[in-house]
Coordinates of all heavy atoms in Angstrom, one line a residue:
M1 N 75.2 121.7 73.3 CA 76.3 121.9 74.3 C 77.5 122.3 73.6 O 77.9 121.8 72.4 CB 76.5 120.7 75.1 CG 77.6 120.9 76.1 SD 78.0 119.3 76.9 CE 76.6 119.2 78.0
V2 N 78.2 123.3 74.1 CA 79.5 123.8 73.5 C 80.6 122.8 73.8 O 80.8 122.5 74.9 CB 79.8 125.2 74.1 CG1 81.1 125.7 73.5 CG2 78.7 126.2 73.9
I3 N 81.3 122.4 72.7 CA 82.5 121.7 73.0 C 83.7 122.4 72.4 O 83.7 122.8 71.3 CB 82.5 120.3 72.2 CG1 81.3 119.5 72.7 CG2 83.7 119.5 72.3 CD1 81.2 118.1 72.1
E4 N 84.6 122.7 73.4 CA 85.8 123.4 73.0 C 87.1 122.4 72.9 O 87.1 121.5 73.6 CB 86.1 124.4 74.2 CG 85.1 125.5 74.4 CD 85.4 126.3 75.7 OE1 86.6 126.7 75.8 OE2 84.5 126.4 76.4
A5 N 87.9 122.8 71.9 CA 89.1 121.9 71.8 C 90.2 122.5 72.8 O 90.4 123.7 72.8 CB 89.6 121.9 70.3
A6 N 90.8 121.6 73.5 CA 91.7 122.0 74.4 C 93.0 122.5 73.7 O 93.4 122.0 72.6 CB 92.1 120.9 75.3
R7 N 93.6 123.6 74.2 CA 94.7 124.2 73.4 C 96.1 124.0 74.1 O 96.9 124.5 73.5 CB 94.4 125.7 73.4 CG 93.4 126.1 72.3 CD 93.2 127.5 72.1 NE 92.6 128.0 73.4 CZ 91.4 128.3 73.6 NH1 90.5 128.2 72.5 NH2 91.0 128.8 74.6
F8 N 96.1 123.2 75.2 CA 97.4 123.0 75.8 C 98.3 122.0 75.0 O 97.8 121.1 74.3 CB 97.3 122.7 77.3 CG 96.6 121.4 77.5 CD1 97.4 120.2 77.5 CD2 95.3 121.2 77.8 CE1 96.8 118.9 77.7 CE2 94.7 120.0 78.0 CZ 95.5 118.9 78.0
R9 N 99.6 122.1 75.2 CA 100.5 121.1 74.6 C 100.8 120.1 75.8 O 100.9 120.5 77.0 CB 101.7 121.6 74.1 CG 101.6 122.4 72.9 CD 102.9 122.9 72.3 NE 103.6 123.7 73.3 CZ 103.5 125.1 73.4 NH1 102.7 125.7 72.6 NH2 104.2 125.7 74.2
P10 N 101.1 118.8 75.5 CA 101.2 117.8 76.6 C 102.4 118.2 77.6 O 102.3 117.9 78.8 CB 101.6 116.5 75.9 CG 100.9 116.7 74.6 CD 101.1 118.1 74.2
N11 N 103.3 119.0 77.2 CA 104.4 119.3 78.0 C 104.3 120.6 78.7 O 105.2 121.2 79.3 CB 105.8 119.2 77.3 CG 105.9 120.1 76.1 OD1 104.9 120.8 75.7 ND2 107.1 120.2 75.5
D12 N 103.2 121.3 78.5 CA 102.9 122.5 79.2 C 102.8 122.4 80.7 O 102.4 121.3 81.1 CB 101.6 123.2 78.7 CG 101.6 123.9 77.4 OD1 102.8 124.2 76.9 OD2 100.7 124.1 76.7
P13 N 103.3 123.4 81.5 CA 103.1 123.3 82.9 C 101.6 123.3 83.3 O 100.6 123.8 82.6 CB 103.8 124.6 83.4 CG 103.8 125.6 82.3 CD 103.8 124.7 81.0
D14 N 101.3 122.9 84.6 CA 100.0 122.8 85.0 C 99.1 124.0 84.9 O 97.9 123.8 84.4 CB 100.0 122.2 86.5 CG 100.4 120.8 86.7 OD1 100.5 120.1 85.6 OD2 100.6 120.4 87.8
P15 N 99.5 125.1 85.3 CA 98.7 126.3 85.1 C 98.2 126.5 83.7 O 97.0 127.0 83.5 CB 99.5 127.5 85.6 CG 100.5 126.9 86.5 CD 100.8 125.5 85.9
L16 N 99.0 126.2 82.7 CA 98.6 126.4 81.3 C 97.5 125.4 80.9 O 96.6 125.6 80.2 CB 99.8 126.3 80.4 CG 100.5 127.6 80.0 CD1 101.6 127.4 79.0 CD2 99.5 128.6 79.4
V17 N 97.8 124.2 81.4 CA 96.8 123.1 81.1 C 95.5 123.4 81.8 O 94.5 123.3 81.1 CB 97.4 121.8 81.7 CG1 96.3 120.6 81.5 CG2 98.7 121.4 80.9
R18 N 95.6 123.9 83.0 CA 94.3 124.2 83.7 C 93.5 125.3 83.0 O 92.3 125.3 83.0 CB 94.5 124.7 85.1 CG 95.0 123.5 86.0 CD 94.8 123.8 87.5 NE 95.6 125.1 87.9 CZ 96.8 124.9 88.4 NH1 97.4 123.9 88.6 NH2 97.4 126.0 88.8
A19 N 94.2 126.3 82.3 CA 93.6 127.3 81.7 C 92.6 126.8 80.7 O 91.6 127.5 80.3 CB 94.7 128.3 81.1
S20 N 92.9 125.8 80.0 CA 92.0 125.1 79.0 C 90.7 124.7 79.5 O 89.7 124.5 78.7 CB 92.8 123.9 78.3 OG 93.7 124.3 77.3
F21 N 90.7 124.5 80.8 CA 89.4 123.9 81.4 C 88.7 125.0 82.3 O 87.8 124.7 82.9 CB 89.7 122.8 82.3 CG 90.4 121.6 81.5 CD1 91.8 121.5 81.5 CD2 89.6 120.7 81.0 CE1 92.4 120.5 80.8 CE2 90.2 119.6 80.2 CZ 91.6 119.5 80.2
A22 N 89.2 126.2 82.2 CA 88.6 127.2 83.2 C 87.2 127.6 82.7 O 86.8 127.5 81.5 CB 89.4 128.5 83.1
C23 N 86.3 127.9 83.7 CA 84.9 128.3 83.4 C 85.0 129.6 82.5 O 85.6 130.5 82.8 CB 84.2 128.6 84.7 SG 82.5 129.4 84.4
S24 N 84.2 129.5 81.4 CA 84.2 130.7 80.5 C 83.5 131.9 81.1 O 83.6 133.0 80.6 CB 83.7 130.3 79.1 OG 82.3 129.9 79.3
L25 N 82.7 131.7 82.0 CA 82.0 132.9 82.7 C 82.8 133.5 83.7 O 82.7 134.7 83.8 CB 80.6 132.4 83.2 CG 79.5 131.7 82.2 CD1 78.3 131.3 82.9 CD2 79.3 132.8 81.1
C26 N 83.3 132.7 84.6 CA 83.9 133.3 85.9 C 85.5 133.0 85.9 O 86.1 133.5 86.8 CB 83.3 132.9 87.1 SG 83.5 131.2 87.6
L27 N 86.0 132.2 85.0 CA 87.4 131.8 84.9 C 87.8 130.9 86.1 O 89.0 130.8 86.2 CB 88.2 133.0 84.7 CG 87.9 133.9 83.5 CD1 88.9 135.1 83.4 CD2 88.1 133.1 82.2
R28 N 86.9 130.4 86.9 CA 87.2 129.6 88.1 C 87.7 128.3 87.5 O 87.4 127.8 86.4 CB 86.0 129.4 88.9 CG 86.1 130.0 90.3 CD 84.9 129.6 91.1 NE 84.0 130.7 90.7 CZ 83.1 131.1 91.7 NH1 83.0 130.6 92.9 NH2 82.2 132.1 91.4
E29 N 88.4 127.5 88.3 CA 88.7 126.1 87.9 C 87.3 125.3 88.1 O 86.5 125.6 88.9 CB 89.7 125.5 89.0 CG 90.9 126.2 89.2 CD 91.9 126.1 88.0 OE1 91.7 125.2 87.2 OE2 92.8 127.0 87.9
P30 N 87.2 124.3 87.3 CA 86.0 123.5 87.5 C 85.9 122.8 88.8 O 87.1 122.5 89.3 CB 86.1 122.5 86.3 CG 87.5 122.5 85.9 CD 88.1 123.8 86.2
S31 N 84.7 122.7 89.3 CA 84.7 122.0 90.6 C 84.8 120.4 90.4 O 85.2 119.7 91.2 CB 83.4 122.3 91.3 OG 82.3 122.1 90.5
A32 N 84.4 120.0 89.2 CA 84.5 118.6 88.8 C 84.8 118.5 87.4 O 84.3 119.2 86.5 CB 83.2 117.9 89.1
A33 N 85.7 117.6 87.0 CA 86.0 117.3 85.7 C 86.0 115.8 85.4 O 86.6 115.0 86.1 CB 87.4 117.8 85.3
T34 N 85.0 115.4 84.6 CA 84.7 114.0 84.3 C 85.3 113.6 82.9 O 84.8 114.1 81.9 CB 83.3 113.6 84.4 OG1 82.8 114.1 85.8 CG2 83.1 112.1 84.3
V35 N 86.2 112.7 82.9 CA 86.8 112.4 81.5 C 86.1 111.1 81.0 O 86.0 110.2 81.7 CB 88.3 112.0 81.8 CG1 89.1 111.7 80.4 CG2 89.0 113.1 82.5
D36 N 85.8 111.3 79.7 CA 85.0 110.3 79.0 C 86.1 109.8 77.9 O 86.3 110.6 77.0 CB 83.8 110.8 78.3 CG 82.7 109.7 78.3 OD1 83.0 108.6 78.2 OD2 81.5 110.2 78.3
H37 N 86.6 108.7 78.0 CA 87.6 108.1 77.1 C 86.9 107.7 75.8 O 86.0 106.8 75.9 CB 88.4 107.1 77.7 CG 89.1 107.6 79.0 ND1 90.3 108.3 78.9 CD2 88.9 107.5 80.3 CE1 90.7 108.6 80.2 NE2 89.8 108.2 81.1
G38 N 87.4 108.0 74.6 CA 87.0 107.5 73.4 C 88.1 107.0 72.6 O 89.3 107.1 73.0
P39 N 87.8 106.5 71.4 CA 88.9 105.9 70.6 C 89.9 107.0 70.1 O 91.1 106.7 69.8 CB 88.2 105.3 69.4 CG 86.8 105.9 69.4 CD 86.5 106.4 70.8
D40 N 89.5 108.2 69.8 CA 90.4 109.2 69.3 C 90.9 110.3 70.3 O 91.2 111.4 69.9 CB 89.8 109.9 68.1 CG 89.3 108.9 67.0 OD1 90.0 107.9 66.7 OD2 88.1 109.0 66.5
G41 N 90.6 110.0 71.5 CA 90.9 111.1 72.5 C 89.8 111.0 73.5 O 89.2 110.0 73.7
A42 N 89.6 112.1 74.2 CA 88.6 112.1 75.3 C 87.9 113.3 75.3 O 88.3 114.3 74.6 CB 89.3 112.0 76.7
T43 N 86.7 113.4 75.9 CA 86.0 114.7 76.2 C 85.9 114.8 77.7 O 85.8 113.7 78.4 CB 84.6 114.7 75.6 OG1 83.9 113.5 76.0 CG2 84.6 114.7 74.1
V44 N 86.0 115.9 78.2 CA 86.0 116.2 79.6 C 84.8 117.1 79.9 O 84.7 118.2 79.4 CB 87.3 116.8 80.1 CG1 87.3 117.1 81.6 CG2 88.5 116.1 79.6
L45 N 83.9 116.5 80.6 CA 82.7 117.3 81.1 C 83.1 118.1 82.4 O 83.5 117.5 83.4 CB 81.5 116.4 81.4 CG 80.3 117.1 81.9 CD1 79.7 118.0 80.8 CD2 79.3 116.1 82.4
C46 N 83.1 119.4 82.3 CA 83.4 120.3 83.4 C 82.2 120.9 84.1 O 81.3 121.3 83.3 CB 84.4 121.3 82.9 SG 85.9 120.7 82.3
R47 N 82.3 121.1 85.3 CA 81.1 121.8 86.0 C 81.7 122.8 86.9 O 82.7 122.7 87.6 CB 80.4 120.8 86.9 CG 79.6 121.4 88.0 CD 78.7 120.3 88.6 NE 77.5 120.1 87.7 CZ 76.4 120.9 87.7 NH1 76.4 121.9 88.4 NH2 75.4 120.5 86.9
C48 N 81.1 124.1 86.9 CA 81.4 125.2 87.7 C 80.5 125.3 88.9 O 79.3 125.5 88.6 CB 81.6 126.5 87.0 SG 81.9 127.9 88.0
A49 N 81.0 125.1 90.1 CA 80.1 125.2 91.2 C 79.6 126.7 91.4 O 78.5 126.9 91.9 CB 80.8 124.8 92.5
G50 N 80.4 127.7 91.0 CA 80.0 129.1 91.1 C 78.9 129.4 90.2 O 77.9 130.1 90.7
C51 N 78.9 129.1 89.0 CA 77.9 129.4 87.9 C 76.9 128.4 87.7 O 76.0 128.6 87.0 CB 78.5 129.8 86.7 SG 79.9 130.9 86.8
E52 N 77.0 127.2 88.3 CA 76.2 126.1 88.0 C 76.1 125.7 86.5 O 75.1 125.3 86.0 CB 74.7 126.4 88.6 CG 74.6 126.8 90.1 CD 74.5 125.5 90.8 OE1 73.7 124.6 90.5 OE2 75.2 125.4 91.8
T53 N 77.2 126.0 85.9 CA 77.2 125.7 84.4 C 78.1 124.5 84.1 O 79.0 124.1 85.0 CB 77.7 127.0 83.7 OG1 77.5 126.8 82.3 CG2 79.2 127.2 83.9
T54 N 77.9 123.9 83.0 CA 78.7 122.8 82.6 C 79.2 123.1 81.1 O 78.5 123.7 80.3 CB 77.9 121.5 82.5 OG1 76.8 121.5 81.7 CG2 77.5 121.0 84.0
W55 N 80.3 122.5 80.8 CA 80.8 122.7 79.3 C 81.7 121.4 79.1 O 82.1 120.7 80.0 CB 81.6 123.9 79.2 CG 82.9 124.1 80.1 CD1 84.1 123.9 79.8 CD2 82.9 124.5 81.5 NE1 85.0 124.1 80.8 CE2 84.2 124.5 81.9 CE3 81.9 124.8 82.4 CZ2 84.6 124.8 83.2 CZ3 82.3 125.2 83.7 CH2 83.6 125.2 84.1
T56 N 82.1 121.2 77.9 CA 82.8 120.2 77.5 C 84.1 120.6 76.7 O 84.0 121.4 75.9 CB 82.1 119.2 76.7 OG1 80.8 118.8 77.3 CG2 82.8 117.9 76.3
V57 N 85.2 120.0 77.1 CA 86.5 120.2 76.5 C 87.0 118.9 75.9 O 87.0 117.8 76.3 CB 87.5 120.7 77.5 CG1 88.9 120.9 76.9 CG2 87.0 121.9 78.3
A58 N 87.3 119.0 74.5 CA 87.7 117.8 73.8 C 89.3 117.7 73.9 O 90.0 118.8 73.6 CB 87.3 117.9 72.3
L59 N 89.8 116.6 74.1 CA 91.3 116.3 74.2 C 91.7 115.4 73.0 O 90.9 114.4 72.7 CB 91.6 115.8 75.4 CG 91.2 116.4 76.7 CD1 91.8 115.5 77.9 CD2 91.7 117.8 76.8
D60 N 92.9 115.5 72.5 CA 93.4 114.5 71.6 C 94.1 113.5 72.4 O 94.2 113.6 73.7 CB 94.3 115.2 70.5 CG 95.6 115.8 71.0 OD1 96.0 115.4 72.2 OD2 96.1 116.7 70.4
L61 N 94.7 112.5 71.8 CA 95.2 111.4 72.6 C 96.4 111.8 73.5 O 96.5 111.4 74.7 CB 95.7 110.2 71.6 CG 94.6 109.5 71.0 CD1 95.1 108.6 69.9 CD2 93.9 108.6 72.1
E62 N 97.3 112.7 73.0 CA 98.4 113.1 73.8 C 98.0 114.0 75.0 O 98.5 113.8 76.1 CB 99.4 114.0 72.9 CG 100.2 113.2 72.0 CD 101.3 114.0 71.4 OE1 101.1 115.2 71.1 OE2 102.4 113.5 71.1
Q63 N 97.0 114.8 74.8 CA 96.4 115.6 75.9 C 95.7 114.7 76.9 O 95.8 114.9 78.1 CB 95.4 116.6 75.3 CG 96.0 117.7 74.5 CD 95.0 118.6 73.7 OE1 94.0 118.1 73.3 NE2 95.3 119.8 73.5
E64 N 95.0 113.7 76.4 CA 94.4 112.7 77.3 C 95.4 112.1 78.2 O 95.2 111.9 79.4 CB 93.7 111.8 76.5 CG 92.9 110.7 77.3 CD 92.3 109.7 76.4 OE1 92.5 109.7 75.1 OE2 91.6 108.8 76.9
L65 N 96.5 111.6 77.6 CA 97.5 111.0 78.4 C 98.2 112.0 79.4 O 98.5 111.5 80.5 CB 98.7 110.5 77.4 CG 99.6 109.4 77.8 CD1 98.8 108.1 78.1 CD2 100.6 109.1 76.8
R66 N 98.4 113.2 79.0 CA 99.0 114.2 79.9 C 98.0 114.4 81.2 O 98.5 114.4 82.3 CB 99.1 115.5 79.2 CG 99.3 116.8 80.1 CD 100.6 116.7 80.8 NE 101.0 118.0 81.3 CZ 100.6 118.5 82.5 NH1 99.9 117.8 83.4 NH2 101.0 119.7 82.9
L67 N 96.8 114.4 80.9 CA 95.8 114.5 82.0 C 95.9 113.3 82.9 O 95.7 113.4 84.2 CB 94.4 114.7 81.5 CG 93.5 115.5 82.2 CD1 94.0 116.9 82.2 CD2 92.1 115.5 81.7
E68 N 96.1 112.1 82.4 CA 96.2 111.0 83.1 C 97.4 110.8 83.9 O 97.4 110.4 85.1 CB 96.0 109.7 82.2 CG 94.9 108.7 82.6 CD 94.6 107.7 81.5 OE1 93.9 108.2 80.5 OE2 95.0 106.6 81.6
L69 N 98.6 111.1 83.2 CA 99.8 110.9 83.9 C 100.1 112.1 84.9 O 100.8 111.8 85.9 CB 101.0 110.9 82.9 CG 100.9 109.7 81.9 CD1 102.0 109.7 80.9 CD2 100.9 108.3 82.6
R70 N 99.7 113.2 84.5 CA 100.1 114.4 85.4 C 98.8 115.2 85.6 O 98.7 116.3 84.9 CB 101.2 115.2 84.9 CG 102.6 114.8 85.4 CD 103.6 115.8 84.8 NE 103.4 117.1 85.2 CZ 104.0 118.2 84.5 NH1 104.8 118.0 83.5 NH2 103.8 119.4 85.0
P71 N 97.9 114.8 86.4 CA 96.6 115.6 86.6 C 97.0 117.0 87.0 O 97.7 117.2 87.9 CB 95.9 114.9 87.7 CG 96.4 113.5 87.7 CD 97.9 113.6 87.3
P72 N 96.5 118.0 86.3 CA 96.9 119.4 86.5 C 96.3 120.0 87.8 O 96.6 121.1 88.2 CB 96.4 120.2 85.2 CG 95.3 119.4 84.8 CD 95.5 118.0 85.1
W73 N 95.3 119.3 88.4 CA 94.6 119.9 89.6 C 95.1 119.3 90.9 O 94.4 119.4 91.9 CB 93.1 119.7 89.4 CG 92.5 120.4 88.3 CD1 92.4 121.7 88.1 CD2 92.0 119.8 87.0 NE1 91.8 122.1 86.9 CE2 91.6 120.9 86.2 CE3 91.9 118.5 86.6 CZ2 91.0 120.7 85.0 CZ3 91.3 118.3 85.4 CH2 90.9 119.4 84.6
R74 N 96.3 118.8 90.9 CA 96.8 118.2 92.2 C 96.8 119.3 93.3 O 97.3 120.3 93.0 CB 98.2 117.5 92.1 CG 98.1 116.2 91.3 CD 99.4 115.7 90.9 NE 100.0 116.7 90.0 CZ 101.2 116.6 89.5 NH1 102.0 115.7 89.8 NH2 101.8 117.7 88.7
G75 N 96.3 118.9 94.5 CA 96.3 119.9 95.6 C 95.2 120.9 95.5 O 95.1 121.9 96.2
M76 N 94.4 120.8 94.4 CA 93.3 121.8 94.4 C 92.0 121.1 94.6 O 92.0 119.8 94.7 CB 93.3 122.5 92.9 CG 94.6 122.9 92.6 SD 94.6 123.8 91.0 CE 93.5 125.1 91.4
S77 N 90.8 121.8 94.6 CA 89.6 121.2 95.0 C 88.9 120.6 93.9 O 87.8 119.9 94.0 CB 88.7 122.2 95.7 OG 88.4 123.3 94.7
T78 N 89.4 120.8 92.7 CA 88.8 120.0 91.5 C 88.8 118.6 91.6 O 89.8 118.0 91.9 CB 89.5 120.6 90.2 OG1 89.4 121.9 90.1 CG2 88.9 119.8 89.0
V79 N 87.6 118.0 91.4 CA 87.5 116.6 91.4 C 87.7 115.9 90.0 O 86.9 116.3 89.1 CB 86.1 116.0 92.0 CG1 86.0 114.5 92.0 CG2 86.0 116.6 93.4
L80 N 88.6 115.1 89.8 CA 88.9 114.6 88.5 C 88.3 113.1 88.6 O 88.8 112.2 89.4 CB 90.4 114.6 88.2 CG 90.8 114.0 86.7 CD1 90.1 114.7 85.7 CD2 92.3 113.9 86.7
R81 N 87.4 112.8 87.6 CA 86.8 111.5 87.6 C 87.0 110.9 86.2 O 87.1 111.6 85.2 CB 85.3 111.5 87.8 CG 84.9 111.9 89.2 CD 83.4 111.6 89.3 NE 82.9 112.4 90.4 CZ 82.3 113.6 90.3 NH1 82.1 114.1 89.0 NH2 81.8 114.2 91.2
H82 N 87.1 109.6 86.1 CA 87.2 108.9 84.9 C 85.9 108.1 84.7 O 85.5 107.4 85.6 CB 88.5 108.0 84.8 CG 89.7 108.8 84.7 ND1 90.3 109.3 83.6 CD2 90.6 109.3 85.8 CE1 91.4 110.0 83.9 NE2 91.6 110.0 85.2
H83 N 85.4 108.3 83.5 CA 84.1 107.6 83.2 C 84.3 106.2 82.9 O 85.2 105.8 82.1 CB 83.4 108.4 82.1 CG 81.9 108.5 82.2 ND1 81.0 108.4 81.3 CD2 81.2 108.7 83.4 CE1 79.8 108.4 81.7 NE2 79.9 108.7 83.0
Ligands
LIG1 ZN1 82.0 129.8 86.6

């Protein structure tokens, strides 16, 4: 499985943060993002409903905190889950 490192900074606006999680095939927002918390950060398993594909994005601790404090998909259909 491909693991990409997220490239956003914690103080980036939501659209930039969301860009780190976009589907690499169709650029859609993931339909579901499941956060798996680890000791050095988190990995986010993303699923695209359009392509039926999944991918994983790795976050450092600051990025993980940003996702928790200010989820970038508010008001969107993306389902954010914590494992
Ligand atoms: Zn897609």
Side-chain angles (χ1 to χ4, degrees):
M1 179 183 288
V2 181
I3 299 185
E4 299 168 46
R7 284 182 292 263
F8 66 86
R9 292 185 302 271
N11 59 352
D12 278 342
D14 287 352
L16 267 184
V17 175
R18 289 201 300 269
S20 282
F21 298 94
C23 174
S24 60
L25 298 178
C26 70
L27 302 180
R28 248 181 272 211
E29 307 290 342
S31 52
T34 306
V35 184
D36 214 333
H37 299 278
D40 306 316
T43 52
V44 184
L45 178 67
C46 297
R47 161 170 282 281
C48 175
C51 305
E52 301 275 315
T53 187
T54 58
W55 63 99
T56 301
V57 179
L59 306 180
D60 64 23
L61 286 169
E62 286 192 323
Q63 292 168 328
E64 179 184 7
L65 203 61
R66 164 66 162 89
L67 212 67
E68 230 168 283
L69 298 179
R70 265 182 66 196
W73 295 289
R74 282 168 303 177
M76 306 186 65
S77 59
T78 299
V79 179
L80 181 62
R81 290 193 205 93
H82 293 274
H83 216 220

